[in-house]
Amino acid sequence: MCWVLVTKITPGLAGEDWRVLAGTSALFGLVVLFTALNKRSDDMQGFFKKLFDTSFKEFITPSIIKVIFWIAMILIGIGVLVYIVGGFSEGFGMGIIALIVSPLIGFLWVIITRVYLEIIMVFFRIMGLLEGIAQEKGVAAP
């Protein structure tokens, strides 16, 4: 199915040319990723310190929640596109139905994902507020 998608979008690519294009895109993505990581090396050291903290005194979820949301949105978008392409491969009628239904389902999944991640963040905010109250009252946090 990926080959069909690549040849439909870029009909000029034949043979090994599409693999070169995919490899170049992946290489560019890695360069951008490593550049961003290099600029935030101090943050990354703190991230890895939190990641391997076996006492769980510091949490990594609040710092990676945006990345999780972006990954979820990308995966939902890919799912929508695959569903549309699959619909058109079954026939024109199924393609039209997929073209109408799949964005709506994708939109609902984005909403569900956002609400779920917001609920997770609410727990962390409650924890922060409770720690503040405990410090004001002089109660030692566990």
Side-chain angles (χ1 to χ4, degrees):
M1 182 175 322
C2 291
W3 175 250
V4 172
L5 184 61
V6 168
T7 55
K8 296 292 182 189
I9 294 173
T10 56
L13 294 178
E16 301 292 320
D17 292 341
W18 70 273
R19 290 188 181 122
V20 172
L21 179 65
T24 306
S25 299
L27 182 62
F28 178 72
L30 286 174
V31 167
V32 170
L33 175 67
F34 286 127
T35 304
L37 290 177
N38 192 22
K39 288 181 182 177
R40 302 181 69 194
S41 63
D42 292 337
D43 293 340
M44 290 306 293
Q45 288 174 353
F47 171 76
F48 285 113
K49 181 182 173 192
K50 290 178 187 177
L51 181 64
F52 295 109
D53 177 24
T54 57
S55 65
F56 289 92
K57 297 242 184 232
E58 296 186 42
F59 299 103
I60 63 166
T61 306
S63 60
I64 64 169
I65 200 88
K66 290 179 185 177
V67 174
I68 293 171
F69 184 62
W70 278 105
I71 290 171
M73 285 198 317
I74 290 169
L75 292 176
I76 290 168
I78 290 171
V80 167
L81 289 176
V82 166
Y83 189 73
I84 290 171
V85 169
F88 276 109
S89 70
E90 293 292 321
F92 184 74
M94 283 299 293
I96 295 298
I97 291 171
L99 193 62
I100 294 169
V101 171
S102 64
L104 296 174
I105 292 172
F107 182 69
L108 288 175
W109 273 110
V110 168
I111 291 172
I112 290 167
T113 304
R114 176 67 188 225
V115 168
Y116 178 71
L117 293 174
E118 285 181 2
I119 289 170
I120 291 172
M121 288 307 299
V122 164
F123 288 127
F124 283 100
R125 292 206 176 137
I126 290 171
M127 180 194 65
L129 291 172
L130 288 175
E131 285 176 347
I133 292 171
Q135 284 179 352
E136 286 177 8
K137 301 242 181 212
V139 178

